Amino acid sequence: MTPNTTISVEAEPYAFEFQPTTCALLIIDMQRDFLEPGGFGEMLGNDVSQLRCTIEPNKRLLSVWRARGWHVIHTREGHRPDLGCLPPAKKIRGRSPTSIGDQGPMGRILVRGEAGHDIIPELYPQFGEAVIDKPGKGAFYATDLHAILMNRGVKQLIVTGVTTEVCVNTTVREANDRGYDCLVPSDCVGSYFPEFQEMGLKMIKAQGGIFGWVSHSDKILAALK
Ligand code: TIU
């Protein structure tokens, strides 16, 4: 397989075709704050164990991308320690007794530089993999992700991570409006709510792939064999 080979992945609503040199694996917010107890996800009232089934399939995909030297980008949702990039509306939303910036068992919740804000050890970024710190749900808002992708000639994205209906969906919609094709492997994205997992994926692939394509990591790996 040469870097310019076109790879065809069985997907819905139809096959997703990509060339390795122009397609990045974009892993959204696989942070301790969302996947481990005591972080932002739990603060919102969620059972964080629900998301852990995404770790193994992401590991498998990431190891293949790394082994082949293809583009890998990670994102983290969070805020500056002075909370200068935290909209007051986001701070007070939910009326929780603890909120973003408050001290938790993994440090200050959703704050850059704290243990909880970092990516889980299983998927920890390697040297050369861009890490995008984003203040919002979408990975393009208030970040240099679009510039990084354009500078590298990336036109297509395989989007994984958490959560399906929040940061993954927002990012796929933002990417779609900027002209990127997005493929979402269903087993590599997770939600605290099974019904949102299902509908979040349906919304992407409906209407002829209105926002993108949906597949499974097994199908991506099979296409690479
Ligand atoms: N709450 C929830 O489902 N998600 C977020 O707040 N952020 C991300 O999805 N990363």
Side-chain angles (χ1 to χ4, degrees):
M1 188 182 291
T2 69
N4 290 324
T5 308
T6 297
I7 295 163
S8 181
V9 179
E10 197 186 324
E12 292 180 285
Y14 53 87
F16 180 83
E17 295 186 341
F18 71 96
Q19 293 180 328
T21 46
T22 55
C23 182
L25 177 62
L26 179 63
I27 306 177
I28 304 292
D29 300 357
M30 291 295 279
Q31 296 161 256
R32 298 182 66 198
D33 254 320
F34 293 105
L35 289 127
E36 295 185 10
F40 183 61
E42 194 172 77
M43 187 207 86
L44 295 172
N46 299 305
D47 168 13
V48 294
S49 67
Q50 298 255 73
L51 303 185
R52 297 196 66 83
C53 59
T54 62
I55 297 174
E56 278 308 311
N58 266 288
K59 267 176 77 175
R60 282 198 296 275
L61 219 48
L62 178 59
S63 71
V64 170
W65 247 251
R66 280 176 174 165
R68 303 198 181 200
W70 298 344
H71 304 286
V72 174
I73 299 178
H74 305 258
T75 72
R76 300 184 293 203
E77 179 180 349
H79 298 279
R80 294 168 177 272
D82 67 3
L83 305 184
C85 60
L86 174 63
K90 186 175 178 182
K91 169 80 177 162
I92 61 171
R93 187 76 50 79
R95 298 182 174 170
S96 165
T98 350
S99 63
I100 297 168
D102 291 350
Q103 202 58 236
M106 296 191 288
R108 294 177 67 206
I109 291 170
L110 226 59
V111 168
R112 296 175 190 165
E114 302 287 338
H117 173 265
D118 215 349
I119 292 172
I120 56 168
E122 295 91 331
L123 298 170
Y124 208 76
Q126 282 186 356
F127 181 77
E129 296 172 354
V131 179
I132 307 287
D133 279 323
K134 62 188 185 65
K137 304 306 180 192
F140 289 85
Y141 169 69
T143 73
D144 54 4
L145 176 60
H146 191 37
I148 290 172
L149 295 174
M150 284 196 301
N151 292 339
R152 294 182 179 182
V154 172
K155 298 179 184 333
Q156 294 183 303
L157 302 170
I158 296 187
V159 186
T160 73
V162 297
T163 64
T164 309
E165 78 279 16
V166 182
C167 291
V168 172
N169 239 277
T170 306
T171 297
V172 166
R173 289 165 190 236
E174 285 183 330
N176 181 61
D177 280 348
R178 286 165 177 80
Y180 297 94
D181 289 328
C182 294
L183 172 67
V184 179
S186 58
D187 56 324
C188 295
V189 294
S191 171
Y192 300 118
F193 305 92
E195 66 271 34
F196 294 166
Q197 172 77 2
E198 185 191 346
M199 290 305 163
L201 293 169
K202 275 190 177 165
M203 281 188 232
I204 290 168
K205 68 185 178 187
Q207 303 183 64
I210 195 81
F211 298 124
W213 286 254
V214 175
S215 185
H216 190 281
S217 67
D218 287 348
K219 292 186 172 159
I220 299 173
L221 297 177
L224 297 177
K225 286 228 170 85

